[in-house]
């Protein structure tokens, strides 16, 4: 049966109204999601946990409970964990965006067995540290930790390794660019928050919305010490390409350690590859005469 030609404009108007309605709905949803990313990005970046799940002492590692004070007056909680042998230097440990220092005890043991003292601190808003986290605040917290090592512990910059994992890599690179440590280690780190956001939310104008930036790539380009970059191709949170870009931006001397496993467990899953890579880097840049007698870094005390 032939369609009445007079009905065609009416049908098209109905279809057009439906298309316009859906376009407005989708545009509204896009605007709402983009607004959510803009307003709540701090909650996406920082995932603090207040309760401490343990201490180094509970794992057989003597430690000193420390309270630092950032330049803006915020009190920061930290642990100083000495090695069980002659120390080759000290690691200033900047942890990732979730949990707190109590979730890094296994990593502290690795450094301890490399004959490195460790100063690990919680960013403001994490663990027992006061305040709320922010990009500038985390930089000030790391500066407070550096100041404590230099002024209170009398640790020279030439005996200090700044270590950062994930978000902590951005904090560590910022500190290393401002100071001059003996070495810098960046593990599973992003090139910047906007870069990572663009990977995670390709549909959103992340680069325009980003208020938190953490430009690791810019910081590492100004670092004047040896750099070790560690990353896993299996990292499901921060793509491997970020680690490679950071490595390319770093000046010489530099090294790249390819591990395997997920973002949170790659260092553990890689076991000897990870520990051996750290040992090689540390022995090269913080040597001791007795290095030939030291045992494996991952072994029990």
């Amino acid at each position: 049966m032939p369609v009445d030609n007079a009905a065609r404009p009416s049908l098209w108007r109905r279809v057009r109204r439906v298309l316009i309605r859906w376009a407005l709905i989708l545009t509204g949803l896009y605007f709402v999601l983009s607004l959510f990313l803009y307003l709540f990005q701090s909650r996406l970046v920082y995932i603090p946990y207040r309760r401490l799940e343990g201490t180094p002492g509970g794992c057989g590692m003597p430690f000193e409970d420390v309270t630092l004070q950032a330049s803006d007056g915020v009190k920061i909680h930290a642990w100083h964990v000495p090695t069980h042998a002659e120390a080759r230097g000290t690691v200033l440990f900047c942890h990732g965006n979730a949990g707190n220092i109590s979730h890094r005890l296994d990593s502290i043991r690795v450094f301890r067995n490399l004959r490195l003292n460790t100063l690990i601190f919680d960013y403001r808003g994490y663990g027992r540290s006061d305040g709320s986290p922010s990009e500038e605040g985390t930089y000030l917290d790391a500066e407070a930790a550096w100041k404590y090592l230099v002024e209170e512990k009398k640790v020279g910059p030439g005996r200090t390794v700044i270590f950062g994992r994930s978000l902590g890599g951005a904090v560590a690179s910022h500190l290393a660019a401002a100071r001059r440590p003996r070495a810098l280690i960046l593990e599973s780190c992003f090139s910047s928050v906007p870069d990572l956001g663009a990977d995670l939310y390709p549909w959103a104008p992340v680069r325009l919305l980003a208020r938190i930036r953490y430009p690791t790539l810019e910081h590492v380009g100004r670092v004047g010490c040896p750099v070790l970059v560690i990353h896993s191709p299996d990292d499901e949170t921060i793509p491997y390409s970020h680690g490679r870009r950071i490595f390319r931006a770093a000046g010489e001397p530099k090294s790249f350690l390819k591990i395997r496993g997920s973002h949170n467990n790659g260092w553990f899953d890689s076991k000897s590859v990870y520990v051996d890579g750290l040992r090689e880097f540390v022995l090269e840049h913080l040597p001791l005469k007795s290095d030939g007698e030291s045992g494996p870094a991952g072994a029990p005390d």
Side-chain angles (χ1 to χ4, degrees):
M1 181 177 179
V3 178
D4 187 350
N5 289 335
R8 290 180 179 174
S10 177
L11 176 62
W12 166 241
R13 282 195 295 271
R14 288 198 296 271
V15 171
R16 186 174 61 182
R17 283 198 297 268
V18 170
L19 291 175
I20 292 174
R21 186 180 300 117
W22 276 107
L24 291 173
I25 291 172
L26 293 175
T27 300
L29 286 173
Y30 183 80
F31 175 79
V32 169
L33 289 172
S34 297
L35 184 63
F36 175 84
L37 289 177
Y38 180 78
L39 294 177
F40 296 100
Q41 58 192 263
S42 289
R43 296 188 182 184
L44 298 173
V45 173
Y46 306 112
I47 311 175
Y49 191 72
R50 283 293 191 180
R51 180 181 174 183
L52 297 183
E53 301 291 345
T55 67
C59 299
M61 296 182 289
F63 74 106
E64 179 183 0
D65 206 62
V66 179
T67 299
L68 313 173
Q69 184 164 310
S71 60
D72 61 352
V74 176
K75 291 184 178 179
I76 302 301
H77 180 236
W79 289 331
H80 182 261
V81 186
T83 179
H84 57 93
E86 179 190 2
R88 64 177 72 253
T90 298
V91 170
L92 197 166
F93 195 131
C94 305
H95 66 69
N97 74 321
N100 57 50
I101 57 177
S102 70
H103 300 105
R104 277 77 190 186
L105 295 172
D106 287 335
S107 291
I108 294 173
R109 184 178 295 279
V110 170
F111 287 121
R112 187 169 185 260
N113 288 334
L114 281 168
R115 299 167 71 172
L116 290 165
N117 303 324
T118 299
L119 178 66
I120 184 170
F121 65 97
D122 263 329
Y123 309 118
R124 57 191 64 201
Y126 286 72
R128 294 178 181 170
S129 294
D130 293 343
S132 300
S134 66
E135 181 174 358
E136 183 60 30
T138 57
Y139 295 152
L140 296 179
D141 301 340
E143 283 283 354
W146 176 272
K147 183 178 179 181
Y148 172 80
L149 282 180
V150 173
E151 296 183 3
E152 299 295 327
K153 288 298 183 181
K154 307 301 181 185
V155 179
R159 307 305 296 177
T160 302
V161 176
I162 302 177
F163 171 86
R165 177 178 289 149
S166 192
L167 178 140
V171 178
S173 63
H174 179 273
L175 181 61
R179 307 298 179 178
R180 193 177 178 88
R182 182 67 190 96
L184 171 66
I185 302 175
L186 302 176
E187 181 182 322
S188 306
C189 187
F190 49 73
S191 55
S192 73
V193 166
D195 288 347
L196 180 59
D199 287 334
L200 296 178
Y201 310 105
W203 49 267
V206 173
R207 298 186 190 281
L208 296 176
L209 298 173
R211 291 180 290 112
I212 301 172
R213 308 200 65 83
Y214 285 114
T216 311
L217 210 63
E218 295 178 19
H219 299 327
V220 79
R222 300 195 302 270
V223 169
C225 66
V227 178
L228 171 63
V229 179
I230 306 172
H231 217 112
S232 168
D234 308 319
D235 194 320
E236 77 289 0
T237 302
I238 300 178
Y240 184 66
S241 59
H242 285 244
R244 295 304 304 178
R245 286 202 295 271
I246 291 171
F247 176 72
R248 288 194 293 270
E252 297 288 351
K254 59 184 176 181
S255 305
F256 189 91
L257 177 60
K258 181 179 178 181
I259 59 175
R260 62 179 178 83
S262 66
H263 180 72
N264 290 321
N265 296 321
W267 70 273
F268 182 79
D269 294 341
S270 298
K271 293 184 173 66
S272 60
V273 171
Y274 177 81
V275 172
D276 289 347
L278 282 178
R279 181 193 293 110
E280 181 180 347
F281 183 77
V282 168
L283 264 62
E284 178 180 358
H285 299 293
L286 285 170
L288 289 175
K289 291 182 180 179
S290 56
D291 280 337
E293 304 170 7
S294 60
D301 296 344

